[in-house]
Amino acid sequence: MTETTHQQPPAAPRGAGAGTRSPEYRAARSALHGLRQDLFRDPFAYRPLPPRRTDGPFVRRLPARLRSAAQHIPHAVVGVLALIALMAGALSGGLPGGDVPALLTGVLCALPVLATLVRPVGAFWLSLAATPVAAIINGGGGDWPWMPGAFVCHLTVLVVVALRTRPRTAAWMWVLTAAYAFLSDVFFGGSYYYTNSGPMMVTSAFALLVVCLWHVRRTAQQEVTAQQTVTAHERSRRTLLEERTTIARELHDVVAHHMSVVAIQAEAAPYRVENPPPELERAFVTIRENAVAALTELRRILGVVRAEDYEAPDAPQPTLADLDALLVNVRDAGSRVEKVVTGAVRELPQGVELSAYRIVQEALSNSLRHAPGAGARVEIGYVLGGLGVRVVNDPAPEPNLIKPSPGAGHGITGMRERVTMLNGEMTAGPTDDGGYEVAVFLPVATVNEGDA
């Protein structure tokens, strides 16, 4: 006798069948959820209209008092529209200014427009509710279902609320307005020879379409602005990292040279002394081992920042002694450059001289790009405790056949990075006569004779 066991499939959880519904059902359910979210969930919430921004290209040129008043231009426009709705409602029924129903109709048409300032979604429902009330008060009117004041009121409310919300809310307001127009024409418009539902739906459709296009354009501009901000930040960050990589490569050549000299001298020093004591030999061995270890670690770390296609330069790194050759190249490019050296010329640390040379090189390159044909002056000052570098160029001559070629704006960033690395100070900016000046001070530690 054989027993067979059949496993029943697990029961589907409650509500799991919603995932098997048709796409049409899911779209309709999503649309109804959007309707409930936009127009039925807390419609009378307090949402005041914020002041207008004053950083626009036109408003920021206004005087301070007018610029402050410009913040409330949207509120003033809504107030004017409410006044127009009041006048249209009051003048459309009975004797102008002479009967209470006409005045009441004007107030009913103005209140929803004013409500858009603080409760935009609630203003739509107020406008939709005030429309039949205004029609009942002015029972003898010839317009149905929107009296003239109600027509202006509802159209204004649709546009203002659409501006303050989003395109989906505008679409739902138009659909509900069309539903009200259809029901009022079918069930309550039999005694009227003329219905203005068609003009209302066509006019509001065009108005809301323009508002939706404005929303789309504004969103696209905000995304582009945000992307440009991120791109500029990343470009600046990448430039900074590239400059630091270049500085690391140059410092490697400087430090590696000195560490190699230390290692070689530590190895050869015991042979220069006859019968050196064991303690001295061990000391030199320790010095050499530490120098080799430091050099190996330096090369390992530098391998992280080196590009794969980077090749170490065969020529030695430039110093301030090579400035004359640099100035000759600049003069050959058509720029008048003079060099002034003050103070007692002395040998500085190679890192300081390399950075000073690169700063002068970049400053003169900027002068050639931004002020072609202008004269320049390079001042090198050897002062107590450091080195001063100043590069000043004159404004570009007028007229000038050579047009400026603006760069990417990374030269100043690179110079500041070099100065910061050496704990120096730097200022850069235009001069009073229209030129440009770069002033740098690079500190150099002094060595006392007794410490040598």
mmCIF file of all heavy atoms in Angstrom, residues 317-326 329 352-363 387 389 442:
data_model
loop_
_atom_site.group_PDB
_atom_site.id
_atom_site.type_symbol
_atom_site.label_atom_id
_atom_site.label_comp_id
_atom_site.label_asym_id
_atom_site.label_seq_id
_atom_site.Cartn_x
_atom_site.Cartn_y
_atom_site.Cartn_z
ATOM 1 N N GLN A 317 64.501 69.690 -12.773
ATOM 2 C CA GLN A 317 63.419 70.634 -12.562
ATOM 3 C C GLN A 317 63.959 72.064 -12.578
ATOM 4 O O GLN A 317 65.061 72.330 -12.092
ATOM 5 C CB GLN A 317 62.734 70.338 -11.231
ATOM 6 C CG GLN A 317 62.031 68.998 -11.178
ATOM 7 C CD GLN A 317 60.876 68.926 -12.165
ATOM 8 O OE1 GLN A 317 60.282 69.930 -12.490
ATOM 9 N NE2 GLN A 317 60.592 67.735 -12.639
ATOM 10 N N PRO A 318 63.194 73.015 -13.132
ATOM 11 C CA PRO A 318 63.692 74.391 -13.249
ATOM 12 C C PRO A 318 63.759 75.084 -11.893
ATOM 13 O O PRO A 318 63.046 74.745 -10.951
ATOM 14 C CB PRO A 318 62.663 75.055 -14.166
ATOM 15 C CG PRO A 318 61.412 74.263 -13.962
ATOM 16 C CD PRO A 318 61.855 72.854 -13.722
ATOM 17 N N THR A 319 64.625 76.083 -11.823
ATOM 18 C CA THR A 319 64.774 76.907 -10.635
ATOM 19 C C THR A 319 64.722 78.371 -11.061
ATOM 20 O O THR A 319 64.525 78.691 -12.235
ATOM 21 C CB THR A 319 66.089 76.598 -9.908
ATOM 22 O OG1 THR A 319 67.186 76.910 -10.789
ATOM 23 C CG2 THR A 319 66.168 75.116 -9.516
ATOM 24 N N LEU A 320 64.929 79.264 -10.096
ATOM 25 C CA LEU A 320 64.916 80.691 -10.411
ATOM 26 C C LEU A 320 66.061 81.080 -11.328
ATOM 27 O O LEU A 320 65.981 82.122 -12.004
ATOM 28 C CB LEU A 320 64.984 81.505 -9.112
ATOM 29 C CG LEU A 320 63.734 81.424 -8.215
ATOM 30 C CD1 LEU A 320 63.947 82.216 -6.929
ATOM 31 C CD2 LEU A 320 62.519 81.954 -8.959
ATOM 32 N N ALA A 321 67.109 80.283 -11.373
ATOM 33 C CA ALA A 321 68.202 80.585 -12.296
ATOM 34 C C ALA A 321 67.783 80.421 -13.752
ATOM 35 O O ALA A 321 68.459 80.936 -14.650
ATOM 36 C CB ALA A 321 69.406 79.681 -11.991
ATOM 37 N N ASP A 322 66.673 79.702 -13.997
ATOM 38 C CA ASP A 322 66.211 79.489 -15.370
ATOM 39 C C ASP A 322 65.157 80.511 -15.796
ATOM 40 O O ASP A 322 64.554 80.365 -16.860
ATOM 41 C CB ASP A 322 65.606 78.077 -15.491
ATOM 42 C CG ASP A 322 66.610 77.001 -15.121
ATOM 43 O OD1 ASP A 322 67.739 77.063 -15.648
ATOM 44 O OD2 ASP A 322 66.262 76.108 -14.330
ATOM 45 N N LEU A 323 64.923 81.553 -14.990
ATOM 46 C CA LEU A 323 63.910 82.540 -15.343
ATOM 47 C C LEU A 323 64.279 83.321 -16.595
ATOM 48 O O LEU A 323 63.403 83.715 -17.377
ATOM 49 C CB LEU A 323 63.702 83.518 -14.181
ATOM 50 C CG LEU A 323 62.692 83.115 -13.109
ATOM 51 C CD1 LEU A 323 62.563 84.211 -12.064
ATOM 52 C CD2 LEU A 323 61.330 82.832 -13.734
ATOM 53 N N ASP A 324 65.569 83.569 -16.804
ATOM 54 C CA ASP A 324 65.963 84.354 -17.975
ATOM 55 C C ASP A 324 65.543 83.662 -19.263
ATOM 56 O O ASP A 324 65.059 84.316 -20.203
ATOM 57 C CB ASP A 324 67.477 84.584 -17.956
ATOM 58 C CG ASP A 324 67.897 85.502 -16.817
ATOM 59 O OD1 ASP A 324 67.046 86.311 -16.388
ATOM 60 O OD2 ASP A 324 69.050 85.391 -16.360
ATOM 61 N N ALA A 325 65.723 82.337 -19.330
ATOM 62 C CA ALA A 325 65.301 81.607 -20.534
ATOM 63 C C ALA A 325 63.783 81.679 -20.705
ATOM 64 O O ALA A 325 63.265 81.799 -21.826
ATOM 65 C CB ALA A 325 65.759 80.153 -20.451
ATOM 66 N N LEU A 326 63.043 81.646 -19.599
ATOM 67 C CA LEU A 326 61.586 81.761 -19.683
ATOM 68 C C LEU A 326 61.182 83.137 -20.201
ATOM 69 O O LEU A 326 60.273 83.254 -21.048
ATOM 70 C CB LEU A 326 60.979 81.519 -18.298
ATOM 71 C CG LEU A 326 59.466 81.732 -18.171
ATOM 72 C CD1 LEU A 326 58.704 80.748 -19.043
ATOM 73 C CD2 LEU A 326 59.024 81.599 -16.717
ATOM 74 N N ASN A 329 61.538 83.457 -23.951
ATOM 75 C CA ASN A 329 60.429 82.853 -24.696
ATOM 76 C C ASN A 329 59.200 83.760 -24.694
ATOM 77 O O ASN A 329 58.482 83.867 -25.694
ATOM 78 C CB ASN A 329 60.070 81.500 -24.077
ATOM 79 C CG ASN A 329 61.153 80.463 -24.295
ATOM 80 O OD1 ASN A 329 61.916 80.556 -25.256
ATOM 81 N ND2 ASN A 329 61.234 79.495 -23.397
ATOM 82 N N VAL A 352 61.035 75.417 -2.978
ATOM 83 C CA VAL A 352 60.638 76.823 -3.034
ATOM 84 C C VAL A 352 60.981 77.415 -4.392
ATOM 85 O O VAL A 352 60.174 78.129 -5.008
ATOM 86 C CB VAL A 352 61.321 77.606 -1.899
ATOM 87 C CG1 VAL A 352 61.039 79.103 -2.028
ATOM 88 C CG2 VAL A 352 60.857 77.094 -0.550
ATOM 89 N N GLU A 353 62.174 77.143 -4.890
ATOM 90 C CA GLU A 353 62.571 77.691 -6.186
ATOM 91 C C GLU A 353 61.706 77.121 -7.309
ATOM 92 O O GLU A 353 61.326 77.845 -8.241
ATOM 93 C CB GLU A 353 64.051 77.383 -6.447
ATOM 94 C CG GLU A 353 64.992 78.067 -5.479
ATOM 95 C CD GLU A 353 66.282 78.500 -6.155
ATOM 96 O OE1 GLU A 353 66.399 78.309 -7.385
ATOM 97 O OE2 GLU A 353 67.162 79.040 -5.464
ATOM 98 N N LEU A 354 61.383 75.844 -7.228
ATOM 99 C CA LEU A 354 60.526 75.248 -8.258
ATOM 100 C C LEU A 354 59.136 75.882 -8.241
ATOM 101 O O LEU A 354 58.583 76.239 -9.287
ATOM 102 C CB LEU A 354 60.430 73.741 -8.032
ATOM 103 C CG LEU A 354 59.443 72.979 -8.929
ATOM 104 C CD1 LEU A 354 59.823 73.115 -10.393
ATOM 105 C CD2 LEU A 354 59.380 71.514 -8.521
ATOM 106 N N SER A 355 58.563 76.059 -7.053
ATOM 107 C CA SER A 355 57.237 76.662 -6.961
ATOM 108 C C SER A 355 57.258 78.111 -7.442
ATOM 109 O O SER A 355 56.345 78.558 -8.143
ATOM 110 C CB SER A 355 56.731 76.589 -5.518
ATOM 111 O OG SER A 355 56.548 75.244 -5.109
ATOM 112 N N ALA A 356 58.296 78.859 -7.080
ATOM 113 C CA ALA A 356 58.389 80.240 -7.539
ATOM 114 C C ALA A 356 58.486 80.314 -9.056
ATOM 115 O O ALA A 356 57.859 81.171 -9.699
ATOM 116 C CB ALA A 356 59.592 80.918 -6.891
ATOM 117 N N TYR A 357 59.274 79.432 -9.639
ATOM 118 C CA TYR A 357 59.392 79.404 -11.107
ATOM 119 C C TYR A 357 58.048 79.095 -11.754
ATOM 120 O O TYR A 357 57.635 79.751 -12.723
ATOM 121 C CB TYR A 357 60.446 78.363 -11.502
ATOM 122 C CG TYR A 357 60.619 78.227 -13.006
ATOM 123 C CD1 TYR A 357 61.545 79.003 -13.689
ATOM 124 C CD2 TYR A 357 59.863 77.313 -13.729
ATOM 125 C CE1 TYR A 357 61.710 78.888 -15.065
ATOM 126 C CE2 TYR A 357 60.013 77.182 -15.105
ATOM 127 C CZ TYR A 357 60.935 77.970 -15.766
ATOM 128 O OH TYR A 357 61.083 77.847 -17.119
ATOM 129 N N ARG A 358 57.321 78.101 -11.233
ATOM 130 C CA ARG A 358 56.027 77.730 -11.812
ATOM 131 C C ARG A 358 55.012 78.868 -11.659
ATOM 132 O O ARG A 358 54.175 79.079 -12.544
ATOM 133 C CB ARG A 358 55.501 76.467 -11.140
ATOM 134 C CG ARG A 358 56.334 75.227 -11.376
ATOM 135 C CD ARG A 358 56.436 74.890 -12.835
ATOM 136 N NE ARG A 358 57.080 73.581 -13.040
ATOM 137 C CZ ARG A 358 57.585 73.174 -14.202
ATOM 138 N NH1 ARG A 358 57.520 73.974 -15.254
ATOM 139 N NH2 ARG A 358 58.137 71.988 -14.302
ATOM 140 N N ILE A 359 55.068 79.584 -10.548
ATOM 141 C CA ILE A 359 54.130 80.689 -10.343
ATOM 142 C C ILE A 359 54.388 81.799 -11.359
ATOM 143 O O ILE A 359 53.465 82.335 -11.971
ATOM 144 C CB ILE A 359 54.240 81.207 -8.902
ATOM 145 C CG1 ILE A 359 53.651 80.171 -7.927
ATOM 146 C CG2 ILE A 359 53.526 82.542 -8.744
ATOM 147 C CD1 ILE A 359 53.899 80.495 -6.477
ATOM 148 N N VAL A 360 55.659 82.150 -11.556
ATOM 149 C CA VAL A 360 55.982 83.162 -12.566
ATOM 150 C C VAL A 360 55.580 82.688 -13.953
ATOM 151 O O VAL A 360 55.024 83.454 -14.762
ATOM 152 C CB VAL A 360 57.486 83.500 -12.502
ATOM 153 C CG1 VAL A 360 57.874 84.431 -13.643
ATOM 154 C CG2 VAL A 360 57.845 84.121 -11.168
ATOM 155 N N GLN A 361 55.832 81.433 -14.240
ATOM 156 C CA GLN A 361 55.475 80.876 -15.557
ATOM 157 C C GLN A 361 53.966 80.959 -15.793
ATOM 158 O O GLN A 361 53.513 81.384 -16.868
ATOM 159 C CB GLN A 361 55.960 79.435 -15.639
ATOM 160 C CG GLN A 361 55.726 78.769 -16.978
ATOM 161 C CD GLN A 361 56.191 77.324 -16.974
ATOM 162 O OE1 GLN A 361 55.986 76.601 -15.996
ATOM 163 N NE2 GLN A 361 56.831 76.892 -18.051
ATOM 164 N N GLU A 362 53.159 80.588 -14.811
ATOM 165 C CA GLU A 362 51.707 80.614 -14.977
ATOM 166 C C GLU A 362 51.191 82.046 -15.058
ATOM 167 O O GLU A 362 50.272 82.344 -15.832
ATOM 168 C CB GLU A 362 51.045 79.880 -13.813
ATOM 169 C CG GLU A 362 49.543 79.755 -13.928
ATOM 170 C CD GLU A 362 49.124 78.983 -15.166
ATOM 171 O OE1 GLU A 362 49.817 78.023 -15.534
ATOM 172 O OE2 GLU A 362 48.095 79.350 -15.769
ATOM 173 N N ALA A 363 51.762 82.959 -14.257
ATOM 174 C CA ALA A 363 51.326 84.353 -14.303
ATOM 175 C C ALA A 363 51.611 84.980 -15.658
ATOM 176 O O ALA A 363 50.772 85.710 -16.211
ATOM 177 C CB ALA A 363 52.002 85.146 -13.181
ATOM 178 N N LEU A 387 60.922 84.473 0.366
ATOM 179 C CA LEU A 387 61.089 84.942 -1.007
ATOM 180 C C LEU A 387 59.801 85.619 -1.446
ATOM 181 O O LEU A 387 58.705 85.057 -1.283
ATOM 182 C CB LEU A 387 61.412 83.768 -1.946
ATOM 183 C CG LEU A 387 61.515 84.104 -3.431
ATOM 184 C CD1 LEU A 387 62.787 84.908 -3.712
ATOM 185 C CD2 LEU A 387 61.498 82.820 -4.272
ATOM 186 N N VAL A 389 57.621 87.204 -4.613
ATOM 187 C CA VAL A 389 57.444 87.149 -6.067
ATOM 188 C C VAL A 389 56.250 88.019 -6.431
ATOM 189 O O VAL A 389 55.170 87.881 -5.833
ATOM 190 C CB VAL A 389 57.223 85.706 -6.568
ATOM 191 C CG1 VAL A 389 57.031 85.692 -8.080
ATOM 192 C CG2 VAL A 389 58.382 84.808 -6.168
ATOM 193 N N LEU A 442 56.753 83.384 -0.143
ATOM 194 C CA LEU A 442 57.027 81.992 0.241
ATOM 195 C C LEU A 442 58.030 82.005 1.390
ATOM 196 O O LEU A 442 59.169 82.459 1.230
ATOM 197 C CB LEU A 442 57.633 81.237 -0.953
ATOM 198 C CG LEU A 442 56.753 81.188 -2.211
ATOM 199 C CD1 LEU A 442 57.488 80.451 -3.328
ATOM 200 C CD2 LEU A 442 55.421 80.519 -1.924
#
